Amino acid sequence: MVHFRLESALQDFRTNVRQSQRLAVAARQWNITSGGMRPRFTIIHRNMLVEFAFLRSYLAWERFLEETFILFLIGKRPQRRRRVLKCYVAPKNRNHALEMILPEGRRYVDWDSPDLVCTRAKRFFAGGEPFESALAPRLNLLNELQIIRNAIAHRSIKSERKFHQLVRDKLGYLPAGISVGSFLETLVPRTHPPLANIDHYLDRINVVASIIVP
């Protein structure tokens, strides 16, 4: 969806995250059956839906980064806080802005890597703002999100190894047969009320988005 205001891009992102969280909640509440004539809804199915919910939010995050980057490039500013931003270029319109940030020889701009986004921001905005102050202090969080996203989308040995290391770092061990969905459903230690990893991650990425668009 093309946006013409930064607030609209933020609202669209928040709506996608909220819908994804509701899907995860619904997946937890559906009855998990073990037999009978009805089609069975199993824990595996629940975990698959949770993975889909996370991936849907992550794609919305990438879209949010692209939309806001373009809007800042063409001179848009947040309504609540019209911060002074110095942009090094003056694109004529949205399409021209997209052409400027498109790497030579590539068909699309990569928004998956937070390091690349920060580097790109510094090329076009003084101090890389507002992306630098929003992303750079939270690279650990964003890299964890990327690892989980890749483990869902790629299913490669490299992605699996990085995911397993993340699980070890978070849980202190690697449970046998753990899936991305079951990890996302695992409760974050010492949270009151109890909070699943998926909600923890999506709540925090919402905060980051609100720093980019106050």
Side-chain angles (χ1 to χ4, degrees):
M1 180 183 297
V2 173
H3 298 98
F4 301 97
R5 294 174 62 246
L6 288 157
E7 289 77 12
S8 298
L10 177 62
Q11 184 58 44
D12 186 52
F13 170 69
R14 285 176 170 171
T15 298
N16 275 283
V17 170
R18 186 164 55 249
Q19 290 172 344
S20 296
Q21 288 180 307
R22 288 175 179 172
L23 175 59
V25 170
R28 295 175 196 135
Q29 294 174 344
W30 287 334
N31 291 327
I32 296 177
T33 59
S34 58
M37 298 299 294
R38 292 183 302 171
R40 291 186 298 169
F41 182 77
T42 68
I43 292 178
I44 293 176
H45 295 145
R46 183 206 65 183
N47 291 342
M48 290 171 64
L49 284 175
V50 170
E51 290 177 9
F52 172 76
F54 178 91
L55 184 59
R56 187 177 186 274
S57 289
Y58 195 92
L59 294 176
W61 167 246
E62 291 182 302
R63 180 63 173 174
F64 170 78
L65 289 176
E66 181 176 67
E67 282 293 311
T68 53
F69 203 99
I70 291 174
L71 288 171
F72 279 117
L73 273 180
I74 62 177
K76 300 295 183 179
R77 298 294 180 264
Q79 293 293 321
R80 292 182 58 188
R81 190 186 306 168
R82 290 182 173 273
R83 63 177 69 182
V84 177
L85 295 177
K86 181 180 179 181
C87 183
Y88 298 138
V89 296
K92 301 174 183 178
N93 49 43
R94 290 178 58 92
N95 288 337
H96 189 204
L98 186 58
E99 289 175 2
M100 285 183 172
I101 62 178
L102 186 65
E104 186 174 351
R106 297 286 297 275
R107 294 184 178 181
Y108 62 91
V109 183
D110 181 14
W111 300 100
D112 182 36
S113 167
D115 295 291
L116 285 180
V117 175
C118 287
T119 300
R120 183 178 302 128
K122 291 176 183 178
R123 287 172 49 209
F124 290 96
F125 303 105
E129 295 299 337
F131 299 93
E132 176 70 14
S133 59
L135 305 184
R138 299 164 181 84
L139 285 180
N140 286 341
L141 165 68
L142 298 170
N143 285 329
E144 288 177 16
L145 291 167
Q146 184 187 29
I147 288 170
I148 296 170
R149 178 261 191 199
N150 289 342
I152 297 171
H154 293 168
R155 302 292 184 181
S156 67
I157 294 176
K158 182 178 179 180
S159 297
E160 183 180 59
R161 286 175 177 170
K162 286 188 174 183
F163 169 66
H164 285 170
Q165 186 58 54
L166 172 62
V167 174
R168 289 189 187 95
D169 293 340
K170 293 297 180 181
L171 303 183
Y173 70 106
L174 181 66
I178 190 169
S179 67
V180 180
S182 59
F183 169 72
L184 290 171
E185 279 296 276
T186 301
L187 297 180
V188 180
R190 298 178 295 280
T191 52
H192 304 283
L195 189 68
N197 274 314
I198 185 172
D199 296 308
H200 169 73
Y201 282 122
L202 297 187
D203 287 347
R204 292 185 68 186
I205 203 67
N206 250 325
V207 173
V208 182
S210 297
I211 297 172
I212 296 173
V213 182

